[in-house]
Amino acid sequence: MFSSIIVNVCLLLGVSSSCWGNRQETWVDEKLARDTQPSKWGSLWPLPQRVDIFDVSFKLAAASFQIFDGNTSSAGPSCNLLQNAYRRYYKYMFGGAKSKQPHTQDAFPELMGLQVLITDPNPECDQYPSVSSDESYELLVDQPIAILKAPKVWGALHGLETFSQLVYEDEFGAKSVNWTQISDFPRFAHRGILLDTSRHFLPVKVILTNLETMAMNKFNVFHWHIVDDQSFPYMSRTFPDLSQKGAYHPYTHVYTPSDVKMIVEFARLRGIRVIPEFDTPGHTQSWGKGQADLLTPCFAGAEPSGSFGPVNPILNTSYDFMSRLFQEVAAVFPDNYVHLGGDEVDFTCWKSNPDIQKFMEKQGFGKNYSKLESFYIQRLLDIVTSTKKGYIIWQEVFDNGVKLKPDTVVHVWMGGANSADELRNVTAAGFTAILSAPWYLNYISYAQDWVQYYKVEPLSFNGTEAQKKLVMGGEACMWGEYVDATNLTPRLWPRASAVAERLWSAKDVTDVNDAYARLSSHRCRLVERGIAAEPLFSSYCPHEFKGI
Amino acid sequence: MFSSIIVNVCLLLGVSSSCWGNRQETWVDEKLARDTQPSKWGSLWPLPQRVDIFDVSFKLAAASFQIFDGNTSSAGPSCNLLQNAYRRYYKYMFGGAKSKQPHTQDAFPELMGLQVLITDPNPECDQYPSVSSDESYELLVDQPIAILKAPKVWGALHGLETFSQLVYEDEFGAKSVNWTQISDFPRFAHRGILLDTSRHFLPVKVILTNLETMAMNKFNVFHWHIVDDQSFPYMSRTFPDLSQKGAYHPYTHVYTPSDVKMIVEFARLRGIRVIPEFDTPGHTQSWGKGQADLLTPCFAGAEPSGSFGPVNPILNTSYDFMSRLFQEVAAVFPDNYVHLGGDEVDFTCWKSNPDIQKFMEKQGFGKNYSKLESFYIQRLLDIVTSTKKGYIIWQEVFDNGVKLKPDTVVHVWMGGANSADELRNVTAAGFTAILSAPWYLNYISYAQDWVQYYKVEPLSFNGTEAQKKLVMGGEACMWGEYVDATNLTPRLWPRASAVAERLWSAKDVTDVNDAYARLSSHRCRLVERGIAAEPLFSSYCPHEFKGI
């Protein structure tokens, strides 16, 4: 069973133990490959919460197999989200259109179709997903019709992906699936990927490809770090000069309002939230090009030096600007949250500026520029609160003692062992948290680093059960200094898949050898679906990447 | 001048010095970008030996611009190699077909065409390049017709690439070129890229793309590490079972004789030699699947363990096999050299085998298994010599004292500072050498590692001038454990471009800032030509990669 899907792993095992890597320290990876058996879970990724697979298989006829709404489903033909998903997954499973073969009854038991049943009166077909969306589903694969049940469409999307992962080709190439029962739901509600479109512009097509791949891995948040020092590609209706002057190019390197709308809808159809980040007061060099007086003028001695620092926190015009910008952002991005950044504010420029110095004195901040930063952030949070959005902020904002709304999400990114302390402190203060510190995938190294991402346990910090419940999930980050359309996809996938399983599957799913077997097959499936996901180690896929 | 080509560098410079990398140790790279000025050499890469560019520009009209043979050229219309190259470079410079615009004389001075003149009586149109091929050329870009002179077609190919690198778009998008005089030739005759098609199979298309990119960087050797432990994709006419049983898949993961022929011709048309490597006696696990008794049976105590070691050096059948295989290889691959490997032979299995032990005694080798290895290699070298080929071997073969023909090339790969000692020893013994030790590009790390490849000086070892002349060049190696069609191109380019300039340009071309400016533009040119070359650092290209 699962024969063709896992053939690459089998071949790996066929290589003798004495064939070590040429000229390289690949011993650990050789051992991993050698010790790995095909998984009893086939190529499922991420592993569902409960799975039973029996050694009884059914055949699927491409010409007649149907994915259809159950009679009692609350979602009918008008539910575009599901109808689109049926077509997408049919193609994943069967490839392009098949000529209608006359159907000959043969000796094999056949699976005729997959019935999709949305059980909640409100299927949420036309809604946006949120952190509290129900993503659970149940799947029973048995003759004559498999049944996928989910309270909401979000669970149905995940169930379709899971069903497609169960289908394999037998030794004659016949599409097959085994008797299977699955009950599934995510361990964490927030499972994100951060992409950075400021250090390098990412064409819309690249973003869409990434969203598709996210859905194949059950990620549900696209954290769009859309602007930064280097460029401002977001085309604002309110402040068109921001991209006109701050983008790498005002026409070819911008996201128009319709680009954004398309990306948001493409994501929604895959159960993915789009959370934009407009990071201030630091990381805003590109903002200054299109908005006079927004940034702090730096001084060299008594004279302005000509360069600029973070957003100028002492001018009312700065807050007027932010108010209008975030009103627009709140309207353009339907998600309930925006990410406000707040990280890595460099005080050098503020310190050099005599007006800032005076302001500090007047406010009684002494020499503590963190207080000035907090002053700015506090006003910004009030502005964003007035737009009815919740907010996510990088951990510095919490660390600096800014007063935060109870529903604030604190994004933990600072590296190493300290991230556990940070999670403890954040949740002890009653805030929800997202973890990214161990998952900075832009950092690359030789050999299989997915294992280190996989081994992370987000709840390993010291804290009460109530505290642990405040960890909403995590995000894999792909910062853009060294990444653009040429290398994003293979650098991100399947390394991010390791994070996907950590955030979706049960806590005790930690067997690296089993993961290696499933992930090897999963990455070949991604390649077969046209995604340039890179290999884990010496191996092959039945269908190699054709996209070059 | 050079305005549009280098616009990405200019933009980089426009970014304020206070915009440091988000959450990353990118200080060095920030500084590099900040300190870099546009190069006075525009986007030339690798930098020619002598260049004069003046601030006088001419326009090129796509509809009428011609690349044509000079009257006195020894290569005429029957020289397919050049005719193909004219078409290729026309497309690189002007894109697709242009409708014939009526030609209106305007105020700009115009360059009407490029005349290509092969000066040697034998242009070598239909020959294969070799290590002694003349690759020099001279280029004069002046009204009304630019002139490219080269003794042989090989220099003309390089000159066409250089000419195409001189063409830029002015601010109105008009194709332009400056008055330029160039006299150029390579510093080293052997400038190679190693690709490994055993750890992962690389589809033919990927290999061809790489050959195209090599030509854009003036590389002239494709070192094809075609088989190894993991798989045997070379389809042998003499021993079809080798790939039938030893490839990852006998139909979809093999190189047929016509594939090989096509690759060799595609390379020849670009002035690139194809040197195949059939590495023995180690690295041969996959060989054993299709050739009984070729590999040494390993023993566990008194019984065969079922696993196999290196080629069995004590059987005459092994040498009969090698003799027939290398006769075929000599016929299939026209290059004067084959690479015989000879690296990393693991003695464990040999030591375990009682027949080998007896043979060692009989030969008086004692416990010195290096002597057995040398015994094997010696016989193999005699076999290959009888095919009239020269050979390249990895450094261990030299280190172990095997008697080598005077024209043997020793390939230095063992890392670190020792490679200088090795080069000294190899050349002191009178052998030619190729350097790869500092250029293992399969090793990846965060941030701009091209600089470390760029800073290598191959002749820094202690030795006489005569010894230094024995260093033929070097190769950048991309071993395949973690690389396949999904990630090869962005992982190799433009990192290998750094090696290309080191091996082509004059010894004193070492200014990293100047290189950064030119390489940034060069990589954008690669992207515009459809090659997924990854970025050096935060930046943009006027035409981003469209291939995803």
Side-chain angles (χ1 to χ4, degrees), chain A residues 107-119:
Chain A
F108 298 112
E110 184 180 339
L111 190 73
M112 310 296 292
L114 171 64
Q115 186 192 89
V116 180
L117 195 64
I118 308 298
T119 56

Side-chain angles (χ1 to χ4, degrees), chain A residues 16 22-25 29 199-200 253 285 343-344 440 442-443 479 481-482 484 523 537 539 544, chain B residues 16 22-25 29 199-200 253 343-344 440 442-443 479 481-482 484 523 537 539 544:
Chain A
S16 152
N22 185 319
R23 288 160 273 267
Q24 283 138 13
E25 302 87 325
D29 290 348
R199 275 61 180 253
H200 287 96
H253 288 65
Q285 287 294 310
D343 59 318
E344 296 186 321
Y440 266 40
N442 48 304
Y443 289 118
W479 296 101
E481 279 83 351
Y482 304 100
D484 71 2
R523 104 89 191 175
F537 192 52
S539 62
E544 299 291 355
Chain B
S16 154
N22 185 322
R23 286 162 276 268
Q24 283 141 13
E25 303 85 325
D29 291 349
R199 277 58 180 255
H200 289 96
H253 287 64
D343 58 317
E344 296 185 322
Y440 266 40
N442 48 304
Y443 289 120
W479 296 100
E481 280 84 352
Y482 304 101
D484 71 1
R523 102 90 190 175
F537 191 53
S539 62
E544 300 290 355

Side-chain angles (χ1 to χ4, degrees), chain A residues 241-242 287-295 308 315 317-318 321:
Chain A
D241 272 358
L242 289 173
W287 302 43
K289 294 181 184 169
Q291 185 67 17
D293 301 328
L294 180 65
L295 303 186
F308 294 89
L315 298 182
T317 50
S318 297
F321 168 83

Side-chain angles (χ1 to χ4, degrees), chain A residues 11-12 14-26 29-30 198-201 203 205-206 209 225 228-230 247-249 252-253 277 279 283 285 289 298 307-309 343-346 394 396 413 440 442-448 479-487 489-491 523 527 531-548, chain B residues 11-12 14-26 29-30 198-201 203 205-206 209 225 228-230 247-249 252-253 277 279 283 285 289 298 307-309 343-346 394 396 413 440 442-448 479-487 489-491 523 527 531-548:
Chain A
L11 262 270
L12 263 171
V15 173
S16 152
S17 64
S18 71
C19 70
W20 30 302
N22 185 319
R23 288 160 273 267
Q24 283 138 13
E25 302 87 325
T26 55
D29 290 348
E30 291 286 351
S198 173
R199 275 61 180 253
H200 287 96
F201 180 79
K205 204 170 156 188
V206 175
T209 298
H225 188 85
D228 205 296
D229 283 325
Q230 286 79 357
Y248 280 131
H249 189 283
T252 59
H253 288 65
E277 178 181 352
D279 190 355
H283 292 284
Q285 287 294 310
K289 294 181 184 169
C298 313
S307 69
F308 294 89
D343 59 318
E344 296 186 321
V345 181
D346 182 5
W394 294 111
E396 288 99 316
W413 69 270
Y440 266 40
N442 48 304
Y443 289 118
I444 55 171
S445 57
Y446 189 63
Q448 298 193 49
W479 296 101
E481 279 83 351
Y482 304 100
V483 177
D484 71 2
T486 63
N487 61 352
T489 302
R491 196 166 281 203
R523 104 89 191 175
V527 167
I531 309 300
E534 68 180 19
L536 299 181
F537 192 52
S538 301
S539 62
Y540 84 103
C541 296
H543 303 274
E544 299 291 355
F545 185 62
K546 297 261 187 300
I548 210 72
Chain B
L11 262 271
L12 263 168
V15 172
S16 154
S17 63
S18 72
C19 72
W20 30 301
N22 185 322
R23 286 162 276 268
Q24 283 141 13
E25 303 85 325
T26 55
D29 291 349
E30 292 285 351
S198 173
R199 277 58 180 255
H200 289 96
F201 179 79
K205 203 170 157 188
V206 175
T209 298
H225 187 87
D228 205 297
D229 283 324
Q230 286 78 0
Y248 280 132
H249 189 283
T252 58
H253 287 64
E277 177 180 354
D279 190 356
H283 291 283
Q285 288 295 309
K289 295 181 182 169
C298 314
S307 68
F308 294 88
D343 58 317
E344 296 185 322
V345 182
D346 182 6
W394 294 111
E396 288 99 315
W413 68 270
Y440 266 40
N442 48 304
Y443 289 120
I444 54 171
S445 57
Y446 189 63
Q448 296 193 50
W479 296 100
E481 280 84 352
Y482 304 101
V483 177
D484 71 1
T486 62
N487 60 352
T489 302
R491 197 167 280 203
R523 102 90 190 175
V527 167
I531 309 301
E534 68 180 19
L536 301 180
F537 191 53
S538 301
S539 62
Y540 85 103
C541 295
H543 302 274
E544 300 290 355
F545 186 62
K546 297 262 185 299
I548 208 74

Side-chain angles (χ1 to χ4, degrees), chain A residues 88-152:
Chain A
R88 196 160 68 241
Y89 281 99
Y90 179 89
K91 275 188 206 152
Y92 288 157
M93 291 187 286
F94 300 108
K98 303 282 174 181
S99 61
K100 288 252 173 192
Q101 301 276 342
H103 197 273
T104 55
Q105 193 66 33
D106 65 16
F108 298 112
E110 184 180 339
L111 190 73
M112 310 296 292
L114 171 64
Q115 186 192 89
V116 180
L117 195 64
I118 308 298
T119 56
D120 190 274
N122 176 10
E124 303 188 0
C125 280
D126 299 310
Q127 287 179 232
Y128 289 98
S130 78
V131 71
S132 56
S133 290
D134 188 332
E135 298 183 279
S136 70
Y137 67 94
E138 300 201 332
L139 181 61
L140 177 65
V141 180
D142 194 5
Q143 268 193 298
I145 300 285
I147 297 172
L148 169 60
K149 265 194 220 180
K152 307 285 189 179

Side-chain angles (χ1 to χ4, degrees), chain A residues 354-392:
Chain A
D355 296 330
I356 303 263
Q357 291 163 10
K358 267 177 243 161
F359 185 84
M360 293 280 292
E361 249 172 65
K362 210 176 91 186
Q363 296 284 333
F365 290 166
K367 297 286 170 198
N368 188 347
Y369 284 82
S370 291
K371 287 193 178 165
L372 180 60
E373 181 184 353
S374 296
F375 172 87
Y376 168 81
I377 295 276
Q378 202 72 66
R379 290 192 62 173
L380 179 68
L381 298 186
D382 292 343
I383 287 168
V384 174
T385 301
S386 76
T387 69
K388 313 285 183 220
K389 295 283 185 183
Y391 43 76
I392 307 175

